[in-house]
Amino acid sequence: MKKFSALLLALVLLTVTFAAAETAVPSVPKKTIAPFIDLTWEDVALYGDKCRSMTATRRYTGPWEYSVYIMQLDSSVIGGTIHAVSRDSLVDIWRSLAQECLTHFTTYEPLNSLIDSELAGYGFQDGNTYLRLTYVSTGYTDYILFVLRPLPN
């Protein structure tokens, strides 16, 4: 009976030790493709256009709330728009998102407008992703336009 109790005690101690080791290992946060989208390129490759339902559409940057609408433009290109919940806060959201992108990506450059309604734009990139982020004003409505594409390794 003593051998059985000792064996049972050893088994319990091993189980507790392994359980503690499993919970003690910190999980590495996934590197999303942009600070305003909760997706990785692996998510996009695996789920395609369905991945747009996997990211929060209502988000915050600082105190400002905004909405993100995304769609898959190509097999590996994502695009979309960002709209302010409060119409007067889009400029603040634009500035705040640009700051978030500066910390998320390694390089950036100011961009020339491709269309008349683009007022300002930046190109951000890191080793995996290129982001074109532009502020658009049509006179009727303002929004932030983005296009994300993976970079070849």
Side-chain angles (χ1 to χ4, degrees), residues 29-34 37-47 51 54-55 78 129:
K30 65 181 183 178
K31 172 77 165 142
T32 60
I33 56 179
I37 296 178
D38 302 320
L39 299 170
T40 64
W41 286 117
E42 291 79 19
D43 296 331
V44 174
L46 188 59
Y47 300 107
C51 68
M54 298 169 56
T55 188
I78 293 176
T129 304

Side-chain angles (χ1 to χ4, degrees), residues 5-28:
S5 296
L7 184 60
L8 187 58
L9 180 61
L11 184 60
V12 168
L13 288 174
L14 281 172
T15 303
V16 169
T17 302
F18 284 119
E22 285 180 7
T23 58
V25 175
S27 63
V28 177

Side-chain angles (χ1 to χ4, degrees), residues 2 9 16 28-29 32 34 38 60 66 73 89 104 119 122 130 135 138 140-141 143 146 148-149:
K2 283 186 174 184
L9 180 61
V16 169
V28 177
T32 60
D38 302 320
Y60 288 89
Y66 63 95
L73 302 174
S89 63
H104 189 87
L119 300 182
Y122 294 104
Y130 175 80
Y135 189 100
T138 63
Y140 155 69
T141 187
Y143 57 91
F146 64 90
L148 290 149
R149 65 178 170 81

Side-chain angles (χ1 to χ4, degrees), residues 14-148:
L14 281 172
T15 303
V16 169
T17 302
F18 284 119
E22 285 180 7
T23 58
V25 175
S27 63
V28 177
K30 65 181 183 178
K31 172 77 165 142
T32 60
I33 56 179
F36 50 87
I37 296 178
D38 302 320
L39 299 170
T40 64
W41 286 117
E42 291 79 19
D43 296 331
V44 174
L46 188 59
Y47 300 107
D49 198 40
K50 293 178 185 173
C51 68
R52 65 180 163 181
S53 65
M54 298 169 56
T55 188
T57 55
R58 290 279 203 202
R59 304 186 71 85
Y60 288 89
T61 181
W64 305 286
E65 184 178 8
Y66 63 95
S67 298
V68 178
Y69 301 97
I70 66 171
M71 66 178 154
Q72 191 168 11
L73 302 174
D74 195 342
S75 62
S76 62
V77 179
I78 293 176
T81 57
I82 297 171
H83 302 268
V85 171
S86 169
R87 184 181 165 126
D88 298 332
S89 63
L90 190 64
V91 171
D92 295 318
I93 291 167
W94 163 255
R95 289 181 184 136
S96 187
L97 285 177
Q99 288 300 313
E100 287 180 24
C101 288
L102 284 173
T103 61
H104 189 87
F105 294 94
T106 54
T107 62
Y108 87 99
E109 63 179 338
L111 298 175
N112 294 326
S113 298
L114 295 177
I115 54 177
D116 290 339
S117 57
E118 284 183 338
L119 300 182
Y122 294 104
F124 296 94
Q125 78 180 59
D126 59 17
N128 301 318
T129 304
Y130 175 80
L131 164 65
R132 181 180 176 83
L133 188 70
T134 59
Y135 189 100
V136 178
S137 179
T138 63
Y140 155 69
T141 187
D142 291 2
Y143 57 91
I144 298 168
L145 179 67
F146 64 90
V147 176
L148 290 149

